[in-house]
Structures are given as C-alpha cells and as structure tokens.
Amino acid sequence: MRVAVVGGGISGLVAAYRLRRALGPELELVLVERSERIGGVLRTDEIAGDPVDLGAEAFVGRRPEIPALLTELGLDDQLVYPAGRRPLIWSGSAAHPLPERTLMGIPAGPDAVAGLVDEETLAWIAGEPDRPLRWARGGDATVGDLVGDRFGEQVVARSVDPLLGGVYAGLANSIGVRAALPGLAAALDAGAPSLSRAVSEALPPPSAGPVFGGIRDGYRALLDALLSAAAPKLETGVTPTSPARTAHGWRLDPFGEVDAVIVATPAPAAAALVRAAAPEAAQAMARIELSSSAVVALALPVDTPLPDNSGILVATGEPLRAKAFTLSSRKWPHLAERDVALVRASFGRSGDDTPLSWSDEQLIAAAAEDLCTVTGIESTPSAARVQRWPGGLPQYAPGHTELVAAIESAVAGVPGLAVAGAYLHGVGVPACTASGTAAADRILAHLG
C-alpha cells in the first residue's frame, strides 16, 4: 500500500503517524510539505541557548489528545503545566485583572467585568435579562454583534476581543458564535431567554485541574517524535499536483501512483488540491479566510521585575502595536529556571497584517517599547527572535459550521481521499491532532 499525506503541520504528522502505527512497515508513506521544514504554524527556535516556541506555546489542558500522544511517544517527561498565575488586560491605559468565569470573555453578569467597564455598561449588563432576546434557532451571528447588542461595545473591546485575538488572531466581529462557541449556540438554540442565561448554561463546571499544558522542550520535541515514528519518505520544498483519479487509486505528481491521499494543508491550498476531485468541497474551502500574525520572543536580564502574572492582553482601541504579551518566565515554572527572563509579544489581528511588513528591527523595537508601556519596565533585550505567520489561522466566521459540513460531505463521497486541518473543528493543537487522527481513520477504513 502507498499513501501520500500532503501537509507537514501537526495535522498531517499525526495522520502519518496513525497510518504507520496501523499498517506497519508494509506501508509506503510519503509526506509532502511545500515549505522547507515540518511543523506548519508550530515552530521551536532557540533564544539564549534554549528552546522557545514561536507559534503556539500551550494547549487546552482539559482535552486528552496531547497528553495521550506524549505518552504513546514516550514523552511523558515533556508534559508541563503553568504556574497558575492569572493574566491582565490592558485597557484605558491601565492594567486590570482578567475577568474570571467568563465564556471567551463573555460574562454571565456584571460582577465579572466590574472595574474593567464603566458604570453605564455594568447597568446595561445587569438589565440584559429583562430585554427581549432575538435569536433564530440554528442561526448564527458574529460574537461582536451578539455581545455588543446585549452587553455593550466595551465588553467586546475590553474582554472578548483580547481573548479571541489570542485564539484566532481575529476579532469579535470576524468570528461566528456557532463555530467558536458551540456551547453558547446550543444554549441559545435551546431557548435561553437571555445572553446572561445562555452564558451561565454554557460555562464549563469549575475544575481544580490546569487549564493549559505545555511541552518542556517546545513543540519541536513532539514534531520530531511524530516524524521519527511515522518514518515517511519526507519531501520538503515541493508542491504536488492536484490528485487525479486512476483505475486503482490516485496519481499525485511528482510522486506517481498512490492508493490514498490525505490533504492536511490550510484551506486555500487544500481548495486548490481537491478542486478536481471534490469541487464542492473546494468551493467551501475557498470561502474560509485566514488571518496573519507575528510573534517576537525577547530575552531580558534574569532579574527583570516582570509583573507576577502569566501575561497581558491588550484591549482593542488602545494606542499600542502589540495585541498581547506572554510573560513566559512567570507563566511556566520550567522557563523561570533559565538565566534570562522570557517574554513573547504578539502582533496582528484579522484585517490588519501590517506588522508582517515591518522589519525584524521594527517588530523588536515595538515589542520592547509596548512592554515598557504596560509594565513600566525599561529593559534592553539581550536577544530576540521574530516569527511571521502569514495566513496562519483560519477565521471561523458566521456560517463556518455549514462550510465544514459541506466540505466533509463532499469528501465523504470520494473514496481514498481525506482532509484534515485547523479550518475544520478547531484551531488548537488538540483539535488539529484529532483532525489528523480522523483523516487517518477514514483512509484506514477505505484500505480495509
């Protein structure tokens, strides 16, 4: 048997790994990546002689996929958890505690955002249960439209946008309720009489466990282990042709005949690849927009008096260029042991890819200057790393779930073809891992 996986990000690597585990050495496995490296939007570089992640640096701790995968690969000792410190929100030229017990920044009542928004907004939130709610069952809206109407624009800019910016590199007015907050959509569909009630019903139960997890030596440790275990014939710097049906499978030039193909690329590239084989899927994929961002990692003197918080999120409308800071040496105990203080600055939101056009020097300077603004600390970095992510994250706009359903329905009618990626059922690393596993399962069922 011969299978090709197109796309060397986490989704494609997991798919390749699952195929190898199931089919063993008899499988001839080709992994194709158009860039010169594997990992997609996961990348671990070095700063001050130690690894630092320049893409995602954490995963949702409540999901089981990554801890289970680390165990399978013999990497249990790589699993780490944050120190438990809370982030801040920079709004109105001041730092505020991140509201607790919210749903992606959406409160269930005024108490959660007291001090972050003004008294008029607090009164508007308090009266929200008494105002008629218009929600069509099965419908959708942007998070910004829904929350702005029910709770006011200050809640959107100061509480919701900072969190959505971290997850999707987007804004509340570019993200749909149904795809990004399915629990909230379900509560509204079930007849919740107010947004306050719907948020209360959708909030997960309190948990004593860690919200996030991480990998001690960065995601590179996981990526390298997956590649080694999958043992594919790796082809980097190559863009294959669209798969063409043959009598017994597929032709994927320049690699020739294969029995099955998994396409694990971002939505626009996937659309180009599957257009001939699954035109309806390609049409839906092409409608998914991408957002760009940049990450700057700074190494500061080890005695830099960083705030005792995990990070600082920036509200929209603030006169800063960075949208967030991760105070890595405060957030992660294993990073606090290093000889430098580590900070990551994030730039770029949906509709604004200006930071990607700046030089490395401009990004580093903006990161250091904005960090000084939000912390009051003037410090010159001893080292820095810059990573740009053009088109790095899909935007889950209103109607996204219908697009995904159309994609999966169309692909289901094409034997020997599967798709995976962050544009389907979640942008986080656990969701991408699940997507790669699902694609491999589909191919295994096809191969019998």
Side-chain angles (χ1 to χ4, degrees):
M1 288 176 286
R2 192 165 192 246
V3 178
V5 177
V6 183
I10 185 67
S11 301
L13 283 167
V14 169
Y17 166 68
R18 296 296 180 201
L19 290 171
R20 178 64 71 196
R21 275 192 58 131
L23 299 176
E26 295 181 1
L27 171 66
E28 185 179 351
L29 182 61
V30 180
L31 178 62
V32 190
E33 169 56 46
R34 68 179 179 179
S35 72
E36 297 296 335
R37 66 171 190 88
I38 63 166
V41 295
L42 300 180
R43 183 176 183 183
T44 307
D45 202 341
E46 289 192 356
I47 189 167
D50 289 305
V52 59
D53 278 315
L54 298 179
E57 48 94 44
F59 57 84
V60 176
R62 293 188 179 96
R63 292 194 60 150
E65 289 90 349
I66 301 305
L69 192 57
L70 291 172
T71 298
E72 287 181 38
L73 294 165
L75 298 175
D76 288 297
D77 62 336
Q78 286 285 332
L79 182 61
V80 293
Y81 294 106
R85 293 178 172 88
R86 297 280 297 172
L88 300 169
I89 288 183
W90 183 260
S91 176
S93 299
H96 306 264
L98 180 77
E100 296 189 27
R101 295 293 293 163
T102 69
L103 192 67
M104 197 63 77
I106 309 173
D111 292 347
V113 290
L116 182 60
V117 300
D118 62 24
E119 293 298 324
E120 182 180 354
T121 299
L122 291 176
W124 185 248
I125 298 170
E128 190 267 339
D130 300 325
R131 298 193 297 273
L133 173 67
R134 293 182 296 275
W135 176 268
R137 180 177 297 181
D140 206 355
T142 69
V143 176
D145 284 344
L146 176 64
V147 177
D149 176 60
R150 305 301 298 180
F151 290 161
E153 293 301 323
Q154 284 190 6
V155 175
V156 175
R158 301 181 183 183
S159 185
V160 180
D161 271 347
L163 289 166
L164 285 176
V167 176
Y168 295 98
L171 294 168
N173 62 13
S174 70
I175 302 298
V177 172
R178 189 163 295 278
L181 300 167
L184 180 62
L188 292 168
D189 286 346
S194 66
L195 181 58
S196 301
R197 175 72 67 81
V199 171
S200 295
E201 294 175 359
L203 280 170
S207 172
V211 176
F212 298 106
I215 300 178
R216 178 178 298 276
D217 293 330
Y219 273 107
R220 179 172 60 196
L222 175 59
L223 299 172
D224 289 347
L226 285 170
L227 183 63
S228 176
K233 179 184 178 183
L234 178 61
E235 299 282 354
T236 58
V238 176
T239 301
T241 60
S242 297
R245 292 301 300 268
T246 66
H248 303 290
W250 299 89
R251 183 169 185 84
L252 186 71
D253 290 330
F255 308 105
E257 296 276 344
V258 294
D259 296 292
V261 179
I262 293 177
V263 175
T265 65
L273 285 167
V274 307
R275 185 167 290 119
E280 292 181 359
Q283 290 175 6
M285 291 171 176
R287 293 174 57 189
I288 298 174
E289 297 184 358
L290 305 181
S291 182
S292 300
S293 60
V295 173
V296 178
L298 304 175
L300 304 173
V302 68
D303 58 352
T304 301
L306 295 173
D308 195 26
N309 299 91
S310 61
I312 304 171
L313 309 177
V314 180
T316 52
E318 294 296 309
L320 296 176
R321 292 149 294 185
K323 67 178 180 183
F325 296 91
T326 302
L327 306 179
S328 304
S329 295
R330 295 286 190 255
K331 181 175 181 178
W332 300 102
H334 70 286
L335 297 182
E337 299 171 358
R338 297 188 180 178
D339 295 331
V340 294
L342 293 174
V343 175
R344 288 175 17 132
S346 300
F347 296 83
R349 304 178 191 262
S350 176
D352 179 18
D353 58 2
T354 303
L356 272 74
S357 67
W358 298 348
S359 67
D360 286 4
E361 291 74 17
Q362 288 174 309
L363 281 168
I364 293 168
E369 290 167 10
D370 284 358
L371 179 64
C372 178
T373 297
V374 299
T375 64
I377 298 169
E378 292 188 18
S379 185
T380 302
S382 59
R385 293 289 182 272
V386 175
Q387 177 66 54
R388 295 169 181 78
W389 296 114
L393 286 173
Q395 297 299 283
Y396 280 31
H400 185 81
T401 53
E402 286 80 1
L403 292 178
V404 172
I407 291 166
E408 294 182 330
S409 175
V411 172
V414 184
L417 178 66
V419 296
Y423 64 92
L424 292 171
H425 296 289
V427 299
V429 177
C432 291
T433 298
S435 178
T437 297
D441 288 344
R442 171 170 163 76
I443 295 306
L444 291 170
H446 167 71
L447 296 174

